[in-house]
Amino acid sequence: LGGERYLHCCLLSDILLTFGSCVPKSYEHVCRLARVIDECVNSGTIEEGSIVQIQNCLRIVFEIPTAAVVDSTPHTNSSTFASNSALTFVKKPPPPQLHGTVAAVNSTSATNESLQKAISKAIVLMKLDDREAIFLNPVTDENVPGYSDVIHEPMCVRMMEEKAAKGGYTELAEFERDVKLMFQNCITYNNGKDGQWFRSEARRQHKAFKDSTLKKAKEELKNQQRMNVIETRSAEKRKSPAASILGYSPASTVSSAVGGVDKQVVARPAVLVSQSQPYDSKDATIEPLPFIKSKKRKKDQDGLSMPAVATMILADPFFIRLLLNKLYRQLHETLPSQKKIPCGDKILPSVLQLLILAQRSSQICASRGKRYVVPDPGFVENLSLDDQGDSSFSSLRKFMPLLTKLVVDAELDRRFAHGGDLHDVATQASVMMAVAQSGSDEFWRKTSPSSNVILRAVVQGALVYILQPGNSNEIALKAQLPRFVGVLENLARNHREDFFDDRPFFLSIAHGLLRFKTRLPHATRDLVVRQWLEWLRGSHSVGKERVRTMTCPLHEIFVYLLNEWSKLGNAVMPRDKLLGLAEEAGKAAELCEPDPINAFGKAWVKNEERFPAVKLQYEKMLLGVPEDRASTWKQKMGIEGSNLDASNSTMFD
């Protein structure tokens, strides 16, 4: 979705965060948007309350009618506010004690939010320190028979993460107690000589938690509390004395009393500038933005376009990563457990709207914010402003059930595999396996050009997620990989060059496969190799000309993966097989060259374009094999006599 090409969006956010107090008042809401997104990036997650704040900021920036904003604000009777605005103004103000109570409640919620962010940051650091994912998931009697007889109060990182998300911690000391309990359980259960490694690992991680992670969590909590105090004081300064007591700006109701009921309903959201409640309230329910057609700015209007600035902030690649992760987790964890289809979920369309707006930020900026579209939250096919006239958002919504099915099928593959809780059932009822393995390739071919970019990013993220520790096993991968590869083949059919150049994705896949080390079966390894070679041959490319794969990251990462497998020993990648596959890779890439005759040797000698990165991996491979075998391989590839230089072999270190 842009990646490093959108790093200037991070710079824009940093400028707004640094100099937000010095910019004109028209920047107030985009500065608030930048702060919310920065909080999400720092915590590494997007909570539902943050989505509400982002949506309310966008409602003001995109000039959605005030009535829509009022409807989305909690504890507000929109019908009374719209039809009896004059009466609302002359009502007797609430007693001062009520304001104090509300302030106390807001202070408590702000404290809980600060504590949750500090704990979330600590959990992220703990996951990074637990490289083998020992303490990530709960230990049950199914996995470790008799565990509950020894440990009566189990604890793991996932349990603490869920408890923090539900607000189960009231102080940091409670979280510290659970962490200590988790490590103590490991030491208690793993007694004796066989458990020596687990005990030492528990003590190491507990020491790292006390020496580093806990200190950072306390520092984060202090910073959050300090920011809450500053924001509260700033909000109080912006409010008039009457607004502090009444909870709304009298000026807005005066104008409505003079202009009548209709004016109140269609009033511009500028009246909300002095009220922090519409976008500060985290207790509001998520409500997707309504469809908005293009709006043209006045020719004599000075300053930048706030919609253009807002979409640039949304296009921050770090925030995009969190949106994709939120989308996938909603499909993987929430919807299957609730047994409902994605159409009835409001988080999915809300996240998709943000992704679409971020994807179209370049178009909105190119028009200087004069032309933009907020996609419809439903299945109504509203035409966008681009020349293709496709309805990318509607297409995305229609494909959410297919994405859910893909995720559920992957989970079933894990449970059907040997060692899974449904393995015996799957063995006895082969029909269930057939149902789970069935694909829907014909449906994936019907995506619109602009929507399959986001779909491909979600599917790629889902595949990388499966390869993380604890999310799958080496047996289930044999069924899961073909399923995801088939979907990616269809989504990338018109964008093969962009797909093959996606270096972070292929490097993530390689690292995920390497985590299995020697446990990866040869059948799964061969499956990966065959598919990678198919890609290198440029198979399934659209059009008469194949996409060149000689110099692309696809080629580089494949040889890197072969080299790393060979380091694990002959049980994973024997030297003869390593050289044979490297030869196949070079020959496969030659098929995509305009002049395939000895194309590999020519690229090796010329060393131009992006081939040095590919060449470096081949040089590292040749340095690890006997000289006579290396010479034979070079003769076959037409590079005999070329000098090897692996001085820059620290690319992946």
Side-chain angles (χ1 to χ4, degrees):
L1 297 181
E4 61 184 10
R5 292 176 296 177
Y6 285 80
L7 285 177
H8 59 280
C9 299
C10 301
L11 177 60
L12 174 62
S13 297
D14 289 341
I15 292 175
L16 293 175
L17 292 170
T18 306
F19 303 103
S21 59
C22 307
V23 297
K25 194 171 183 62
S26 58
Y27 286 78
E28 176 182 356
H29 306 297
V30 293
C31 288
R32 175 61 184 172
L33 179 64
R35 286 198 298 270
V36 175
I37 290 178
D38 184 62
E39 291 173 1
C40 294
V41 173
N42 287 332
S43 63
T45 183
I46 303 178
E47 302 295 340
E48 283 73 3
S50 300
I51 297 178
V52 172
Q53 293 184 79
I54 292 171
Q55 288 176 329
N56 289 334
C57 288
L58 294 177
R59 284 188 175 94
I60 299 175
V61 171
F62 286 107
E63 300 181 355
I64 298 175
T66 309
V69 180
V70 173
D71 290 342
S72 65
T73 306
H75 313 301
T76 302
N77 191 328
S78 58
S79 60
T80 303
F81 187 74
S83 60
N84 300 317
S85 54
L87 294 176
T88 305
F89 176 68
V90 299
K91 271 186 177 181
K92 183 179 179 180
Q97 291 82 1
L98 180 61
H99 176 65
T101 304
V102 174
V105 173
N106 291 337
S107 176
T108 303
S109 61
T111 303
N112 292 338
E113 179 188 350
S114 302
L115 178 62
Q116 183 177 343
K117 289 181 179 180
I119 293 176
S120 298
K121 183 174 182 179
I123 289 176
V124 171
L125 296 175
M126 290 174 62
K127 288 181 179 179
L128 293 175
D129 192 41
D130 188 11
R131 293 181 291 270
E132 300 295 333
I134 303 173
F135 303 98
L136 180 62
N137 296 309
V139 180
T140 62
D141 288 336
E142 296 179 359
N143 300 329
V144 182
Y147 184 80
S148 60
D149 297 335
V150 181
I151 303 300
H152 303 292
E153 189 179 357
M155 183 57 61
C156 69
V157 174
R158 283 276 168 82
M159 294 171 64
M160 289 185 282
E161 191 173 23
E162 293 175 359
K163 184 177 179 180
K166 296 177 181 178
Y169 292 108
T170 58
E171 56 182 358
L172 196 60
E174 296 177 2
F175 171 68
E176 184 180 1
R177 179 255 179 197
D178 283 348
V179 173
K180 182 179 180 180
L181 174 64
M182 178 181 68
F183 292 125
Q184 186 59 45
N185 287 346
C186 178
I187 296 173
T188 302
Y189 183 81
N190 294 284
N191 54 5
K193 186 177 181 180
D194 294 337
Q196 182 178 356
W197 183 85
F198 291 97
R199 295 196 302 273
S200 61
E201 184 66 15
R203 293 189 180 99
R204 182 192 69 79
Q205 293 192 32
H206 192 198
K207 185 177 184 301
F209 173 80
K210 293 188 293 184
D211 295 345
S212 177
T213 304
L214 183 59
K215 293 180 180 179
K216 292 180 179 179
K218 292 180 178 178
E219 182 180 354
E220 176 70 16
L221 182 59
K222 290 182 180 179
N223 292 336
Q224 290 293 333
Q225 292 172 342
R226 190 180 301 113
M227 290 176 60
N228 290 337
V229 173
I230 294 175
E231 289 190 5
T232 302
R233 291 176 179 174
S234 300
E236 290 297 330
K237 289 181 181 180
R238 290 194 299 266
K239 284 185 178 182
S240 64
S244 300
I245 299 176
L246 297 175
Y248 58 85
S249 173
S252 63
T253 54
V254 168
S255 64
S256 64
V258 175
V261 175
D262 294 337
K263 188 171 183 178
Q264 174 63 36
V265 176
V266 297
R268 290 166 61 87
V271 299
L272 298 176
V273 171
S274 61
Q275 303 178 31
S276 59
Q277 181 184 357
Y279 52 64
D280 281 342
S281 178
K282 288 192 173 185
D283 297 328
T285 57
I286 294 179
E287 191 66 36
L289 303 177
F291 172 74
I292 300 178
K293 295 182 180 179
S294 63
K295 293 188 177 182
K296 295 185 178 180
R297 297 169 56 210
K298 296 179 181 179
K299 294 183 180 180
D300 57 348
Q301 186 175 353
D302 297 329
L304 296 176
S305 165
M306 291 302 107
V309 175
T311 54
M312 283 186 66
I313 297 173
L314 291 176
D316 184 330
F318 297 96
F319 182 62
I320 292 296
R321 175 190 175 191
L322 295 180
L323 285 176
L324 292 171
N325 185 59
K326 181 72 175 179
L327 183 64
Y328 176 73
R329 287 190 176 275
Q330 189 69 10
L331 290 170
H332 182 266
E333 299 175 359
T334 307
L335 296 178
S337 61
Q338 295 177 356
K339 295 182 174 61
K340 66 178 181 180
I341 60 175
C343 311
D345 185 83
K346 291 187 177 182
I347 297 179
L348 285 176
S350 299
V351 174
L352 288 173
Q353 277 184 328
L354 298 180
L355 286 170
I356 287 289
L357 288 173
Q359 187 187 17
R360 294 182 176 176
S361 61
S362 299
Q363 301 175 17
I364 296 175
C365 290
S367 68
R368 293 180 173 269
K370 295 180 180 179
R371 306 173 72 234
Y372 58 83
V373 165
V374 176
D376 190 276
F379 288 94
V380 181
E381 300 214 358
N382 293 304
L383 297 181
S384 60
L385 291 177
D386 52 23
D387 296 331
Q388 299 174 353
D390 61 15
S391 52
S392 56
F393 182 71
S394 297
S395 177
L396 280 174
R397 286 295 304 276
K398 293 174 183 177
F399 279 87
M400 285 300 103
L402 283 179
L403 283 171
T404 306
K405 182 181 182 302
L406 182 66
V407 170
V408 172
D409 286 347
E411 178 64 16
L412 286 175
D413 290 334
R414 182 186 67 82
R415 299 176 66 183
F416 284 153
H418 182 72
D421 58 334
L422 296 180
H423 176 66
D424 294 337
V425 178
T427 304
Q428 299 173 6
S430 58
V431 178
M432 293 182 62
M433 287 290 290
V435 173
Q437 299 283 355
S438 61
S440 304
D441 291 347
E442 65 276 8
F443 296 106
W444 289 103
R445 299 190 184 100
K446 300 177 182 178
T447 57
S448 63
S450 55
S451 66
N452 68 9
V453 177
I454 294 179
L455 284 171
R456 193 179 77 216
V458 176
V459 175
Q460 288 176 337
L463 179 54
V464 173
Y465 177 83
I466 285 176
L467 292 175
Q468 302 307 304
N471 296 333
S472 184
N473 57 64
E474 57 275 10
I475 306 298
L477 284 179
K478 188 176 180 181
Q480 292 170 331
L481 289 176
R483 192 188 312 283
F484 280 88
V485 167
V487 174
L488 289 174
E489 285 285 349
N490 284 284
L491 293 177
R493 65 190 184 281
N494 295 318
H495 307 275
R496 306 294 289 183
E497 187 172 359
D498 292 339
F499 178 57
F500 291 160
D501 283 344
D502 197 344
R503 188 175 187 274
F505 168 64
F506 290 110
L507 189 58
S508 299
I509 294 299
H511 287 167
L513 293 170
L514 291 172
R515 286 191 178 96
F516 292 96
K517 298 183 179 179
T518 58
R519 303 192 308 272
L520 191 70
H522 286 185
T524 306
R525 179 205 63 186
D526 296 340
L527 180 67
V528 173
V529 168
R530 285 196 303 270
Q531 182 57 52
W532 222 301
L533 290 175
E534 282 294 313
W535 283 333
L536 284 173
R537 296 186 185 98
S539 302
H540 310 291
S541 296
V542 178
K544 297 181 179 180
E545 296 184 0
R546 297 186 177 186
V547 178
R548 294 184 62 189
T549 58
M550 181 67 74
T551 60
C552 69
L554 174 75
H555 193 178
E556 171 199 356
I557 304 303
F558 179 64
V559 185
Y560 163 73
L561 179 61
L562 296 180
N563 286 334
E564 294 301 311
W565 271 340
S566 67
K567 293 179 181 179
L568 298 175
N570 291 332
V572 178
M573 182 61 63
R575 289 180 177 177
D576 292 339
K577 189 171 186 64
L578 170 67
L579 293 171
L581 291 176
E583 180 182 353
E584 284 190 57
K587 297 296 183 183
E590 285 183 337
L591 298 176
C592 302
E593 294 295 305
D595 182 12
I597 300 177
N598 197 25
F600 185 86
K602 295 176 183 177
W604 188 283
V605 174
K606 293 181 180 180
N607 205 28
E608 58 186 9
E609 294 184 12
R610 297 177 296 175
F611 191 74
V614 181
K615 181 179 178 180
L616 177 63
Q617 297 305 318
Y618 280 107
E619 290 174 339
K620 292 174 65 176
M621 176 199 71
L622 293 174
L623 289 175
V625 299
E627 186 176 351
D628 56 337
R629 295 188 181 182
S631 178
T632 303
W633 185 88
K634 292 170 65 178
Q635 289 179 357
K636 292 180 180 179
M637 302 302 297
I639 57 173
E640 178 62 27
S642 301
N643 294 325
L644 296 180
D645 181 11
S647 59
N648 297 323
S649 61
T650 59
M651 178 175 296
F652 295 97
D653 294 345

